[in-house]
Amino acid sequence: MNKIHLPSPRGAFRVWQRDLTVFGKFWKAALMPNFIEPFFYLAAMGLGLGAFVRDINGQDYIQYIAPGLLASNAMFAASFESTFNTFVKLKFDKVYDAIIATPVNAEDIVVGEYLWAGTRAVLYGTAFTAVIAVLGLVHSPWALLLPPFLFLVGLMFSVMGTLFTSLIKSIDFYAYYFTLAITPMFLFSGIFFPIEGFPAPVPQLAWMTPLYHAVNVCRALANGPSAAVLVDVAWIVVFTGVLFLVPVQIMRRRLIS
């Protein structure tokens, strides 16, 4: 039986540092698509559909959807990093095989990738936050807490994506992950409309999804939070904490075999 090692902060940092160095070589090409896509949704839905929707919960439609798109931007950034990018490094480029030949262990790799996915969520999310702030869609000084919260969101979706990655043998399986998990969350987590208007059990199922709580917190920070948002933050922390070590152990078995 393989000895189980705890992740070391130094090793995880080195993996994160490597990813940052690589990202620095192509950051312009990588940043632009993830930055522009939510902007297109904001323009098409906020201005296009917003011309027919007067307001939701007392907010202009474009103001209502902007924070939700911010949360989804963090989700997509972390999800792509922890799925396709991680699988390529694991299976095709054999980057992780090279790393574990150094003092960095398998657990450090997974945690370092968590941290990097969270960092990418912050990079993309902060850029989009600046856009919606310039457009006058941010109305609370609490929005200064959006970047650290986006890191938490990125960490959460990185854990999810890495868990799926640790279980699959072929890159083709990501079609199921994005079609059956990511896309439904994008559509039914309250970004574009309140899910409370749906019949049961849709609101109850939506409440159990990670993006629903991320949308609630981003919307609250952008417009002024209430005590109720603490429940959403607690849900995210607990969900992430429960799953955190599961991909670590599975990926270790794949790398040390």
Side-chain angles (χ1 to χ4, degrees), residues 147-241:
F149 176 69
L150 292 175
F151 180 83
L152 178 59
V153 174
L155 193 66
M156 173 174 63
F157 282 104
S158 175
V159 171
M160 284 182 56
T162 305
L163 176 59
F164 190 82
T165 297
S166 70
L167 296 171
I168 64 172
K169 300 298 183 181
S170 170
I171 200 170
D172 297 321
F173 283 100
Y174 287 128
Y176 294 98
Y177 182 71
F178 282 91
T179 301
L180 300 179
I182 299 300
T183 298
M185 280 193 286
F186 180 64
L187 295 174
F188 296 100
S189 291
I191 297 174
F192 301 107
F193 43 78
I195 54 92
E196 290 77 16
F198 279 84
V202 175
Q204 291 76 17
L205 291 175
W207 193 92
M208 296 172 63
T209 63
L211 186 59
Y212 171 82
H213 299 280
V215 169
N216 285 349
V217 177
C218 283
R219 189 167 283 139
L221 291 177
N223 297 295
S226 65
V229 79
L230 295 176
V231 174
D232 296 295
V233 174
W235 193 101
I236 291 171
V237 171
V238 171
F239 179 83
T240 305

Side-chain angles (χ1 to χ4, degrees), residues 24-173:
K25 299 180 182 299
F26 61 90
W27 68 271
K28 293 181 181 178
L31 188 63
M32 195 57 65
N34 291 76
F35 172 70
I36 291 180
E37 184 176 12
F39 182 78
F40 282 158
Y41 275 108
L42 183 65
M45 303 298 289
L47 299 178
L49 185 59
F52 300 93
V53 179
R54 289 291 183 182
D55 62 75
I56 295 181
N57 297 336
Q59 297 178 338
D60 290 339
Y61 187 64
I62 190 171
Q63 181 183 343
Y64 178 83
I65 68 172
L69 288 171
L70 176 60
S72 71
N73 194 24
M75 175 185 72
F76 281 115
S79 295
F80 279 109
E81 182 62 38
S82 60
T83 54
F84 291 105
N85 289 358
T86 295
F87 192 87
V88 167
K89 285 183 277 190
L90 170 69
K91 196 75 173 178
F92 300 123
D93 293 347
K94 303 295 183 180
V95 171
Y96 299 152
D97 289 340
I99 292 177
I100 60 174
T102 72
V104 175
N105 62 38
E107 290 82 358
D108 299 339
I109 291 174
V110 179
V111 175
E113 294 290 11
Y114 287 168
L115 298 176
W116 174 242
T119 302
R120 289 193 72 155
V122 173
L123 291 174
Y124 297 142
T126 302
F128 189 64
T129 301
V131 171
I132 63 176
V134 169
L135 293 176
L137 303 176
V138 174
H139 299 280
S140 170
W142 286 93
L144 294 173
L145 293 179
L146 280 169
F149 176 69
L150 292 175
F151 180 83
L152 178 59
V153 174
L155 193 66
M156 173 174 63
F157 282 104
S158 175
V159 171
M160 284 182 56
T162 305
L163 176 59
F164 190 82
T165 297
S166 70
L167 296 171
I168 64 172
K169 300 298 183 181
S170 170
I171 200 170
D172 297 321
F173 283 100

